[in-house]
Amino acid sequence: MSLKTAFGSRFKIGAAISRKNLNTKQRTDLLLKEFNSFTCENDMKPMFFLDEEENLKDAAKYNLSPKLRFDIAVPYLEFAKKNDIAMRGHTLVWHNQTPKWFFYEDYDENKNFASRDVMLSRLENYIKGVLTFVQDEYPDIIYAWDVVNEIIEEGDYRRSLWTKVVGEDFFIKAFEYARKYADKNVKLFYNDYNTFEEEKRDLILEKVLKPLMNKGLVDGMGMQSHLVLGEHDLDLYSKALDIYGKTGLEIQITELDIHIADNSDEAMDKLADMYEKLFKILVSAKDDRRADITSVTFWNLQDEDSWLTSFRKETSYPLLFHNEGEYKKAYYSVIKTA
Ligand code: GLA
């Protein structure tokens, strides 16, 4: 039994991996044994596709169509192709991990911001370049893209260089371009964190999903699902899942982990319980057709890899595996919900 065989009839099951994971046999063995999907933790973000050196060197040439590099993404795509494992693309547009120079006239931070028209052209050509490359060279590997990540914050659209230089509709434009260049079977997602909080959930529905759905530009809602043991309320989570589900969009759980900074037996029992509750919610929402969940991705493979340890500044034990591939109690509590 493995996660992918247990859940395979319901949804894909994945993990985020880093460059180091990709080059560590124990990690790739674990990934291929348990999962049928993966996401690049970082290496498909704009800062890694945008070729800084070339763009800055010849800004006139690349002003409207940034020079892209694919050498960082290729090893993941090759791995996926060779091992017949699917990928989620993450993320075409984000306020983070996108170089600041990208937003300036001549890619020069000492100059003014670029005009809206120039930025839209850069955005379109960026999306076109990334999608065309992966689709032409590695067809049918990436089944879904997070087109836009995290644009709702504090009761409104998040202020960022995107809203400043392009305007609040930049996300609509991004989805228009993604729709234009994505293969028909590639699903386009909006992705965000704390998507189960009522206020944020309603804003996402109203200010992001509704305008995109009216134009037929979005296929799915990505619920990141960075949870904290003892803090997050799974009733709210379940309610949000139903509400997003009612839109008819696909739902993908894109970045699942449950932070806990204690690895005592009691704490790990509690972690297992929370995962079990969560997966019962996911499975019943899918089986009862309340939410069309098509993929569930853990954010990292095993505890030692988790981003939470540096983010929270305390060692986190949030995943299903630890100690170089040992299965935790949480693994068994998840698999028994299938
Ligand atoms: C967000 C992003 C991810 C990742 C995590 C932290 O959730 O969407 O790409 O950066 O933060 O690792």
Side-chain angles (χ1 to χ4, degrees):
M1 189 53 106
S2 64
L3 294 171
K4 66 181 176 186
T5 48
F7 293 103
S9 64
R10 295 192 176 92
F11 38 71
K12 286 194 170 58
I13 189 111
I17 66 165
S18 67
R19 227 172 281 180
K20 188 175 151 222
N21 291 163
L22 188 66
N23 294 312
T24 307
K25 189 171 180 309
Q26 179 266 321
R27 299 294 204 283
T28 50
D29 285 351
L30 180 63
L31 180 73
L32 294 173
K33 176 168 191 300
E34 292 293 333
F35 299 93
N36 51 20
S37 169
F38 73 93
T39 305
C40 286
E41 181 175 9
N42 288 301
D43 284 340
M44 287 193 174
K45 291 172 178 170
M47 65 183 285
F48 295 111
F49 276 131
L50 285 167
D51 188 329
E52 173 162 317
E53 203 183 313
E54 290 300 315
N55 285 305
L56 301 199
K57 207 161 65 191
D58 201 347
K61 179 169 173 197
Y62 298 119
N63 187 36
L64 297 178
S65 184
K67 168 87 172 144
L68 305 182
R69 58 184 289 190
F70 299 105
D71 56 318
I72 295 170
V74 158
Y76 294 92
L77 291 157
E78 284 289 335
F79 172 82
K81 183 171 149 189
K82 180 164 160 241
N83 294 290
D84 196 21
I85 181 169
M87 290 181 76
R88 285 196 89 254
H90 173 78
T91 171
L92 292 172
V93 181
W94 195 22
H95 62 282
N96 267 334
Q97 294 186 277
T98 303
K100 215 170 159 204
W101 53 258
F102 187 56
F103 295 89
Y104 285 82
E105 260 177 22
D106 302 326
Y107 300 127
D108 182 347
E109 290 178 40
N110 297 313
K111 297 195 175 167
N112 293 326
F113 284 122
S115 68
R116 172 178 160 96
D117 284 349
V118 166
M119 263 333 278
L120 286 177
S121 167
R122 290 176 185 176
L123 177 62
E124 175 163 2
N125 285 309
Y126 177 82
I127 290 174
K128 177 184 179 187
V130 171
L131 292 184
T132 308
F133 177 82
V134 301
Q135 292 167 176
D136 287 358
E137 304 297 320
Y138 298 92
D140 301 324
I141 285 185
I142 298 187
Y143 60 97
W145 271 99
D146 292 328
V147 177
V148 174
N149 200 26
E150 303 179 345
I151 60 165
I152 292 293
E153 183 194 50
E154 291 172 4
D156 201 351
Y157 292 118
R158 174 194 299 277
R159 302 294 116 186
S160 70
L161 285 178
W162 281 112
T163 52
K164 196 177 168 81
V165 182
V166 176
E168 283 183 349
D169 67 341
F170 78 93
F171 74 99
I172 308 251
K173 290 288 173 194
F175 272 91
E176 276 173 20
Y177 303 143
R179 188 59 102 207
K180 184 164 163 193
Y181 298 107
D183 281 349
K184 288 278 163 296
N185 53 349
V186 172
K187 300 297 174 74
L188 305 182
F189 276 73
Y190 174 65
N191 190 49
D192 210 331
Y193 60 89
N194 291 355
T195 50
F196 43 86
E197 286 177 356
E198 286 166 299
E199 192 200 354
K200 186 158 182 176
R201 178 197 74 201
D202 292 346
L203 280 164
I204 289 173
L205 285 160
E206 197 50 40
K207 298 186 86 121
V208 183
L209 298 180
K210 208 163 143 190
L212 290 172
M213 287 173 68
N214 286 340
K215 291 175 183 260
L217 295 175
V218 65
D219 302 307
M221 172 64 202
M223 299 176 71
Q224 289 187 5
S225 310
H226 294 293
L227 303 173
V228 178
L229 190 72
E231 245 177 57
H232 286 132
D233 177 348
L234 291 181
D235 290 339
L236 267 189
Y237 192 98
S238 172
K239 200 166 160 202
L241 200 56
D242 286 359
I243 292 176
Y244 292 123
K246 280 210 182 82
T247 62
L249 293 172
E250 283 185 32
I251 312 290
Q252 296 189 350
I253 311 306
T254 55
E255 305 185 17
L256 175 60
D257 49 22
I258 304 181
H259 175 60
I260 171 73
D262 170 1
N263 70 345
S264 64
D265 287 350
E266 304 83 87
M268 291 299 101
D269 284 352
K270 286 190 187 138
L271 181 73
D273 284 350
M274 186 158 168
Y275 268 120
E276 183 175 339
K277 280 195 194 104
L278 178 67
F279 270 80
K280 280 186 174 155
I281 289 170
L282 299 176
V283 163
S284 77
K286 176 80 184 186
D287 290 357
D288 302 344
R289 297 171 185 262
R290 279 178 285 115
D292 183 16
I293 302 168
T294 49
S295 173
V296 176
T297 298
F298 290 85
W299 205 247
N300 302 122
L301 263 174
Q302 52 190 52
D303 288 351
E304 299 88 296
D305 303 323
S306 175
W307 71 292
L308 285 164
T309 291
S310 65
F311 180 68
R312 296 263 172 188
K313 301 191 176 57
E314 55 186 4
T315 307
S316 188
Y317 306 92
L319 296 164
L320 306 190
F321 308 97
H322 66 167
N323 298 339
E324 311 299 313
E326 268 176 38
Y327 290 47
K328 295 168 65 179
K329 194 167 175 204
Y331 172 86
Y332 299 101
S333 73
V334 162
I335 215 159
K336 77 177 184 220
T337 65

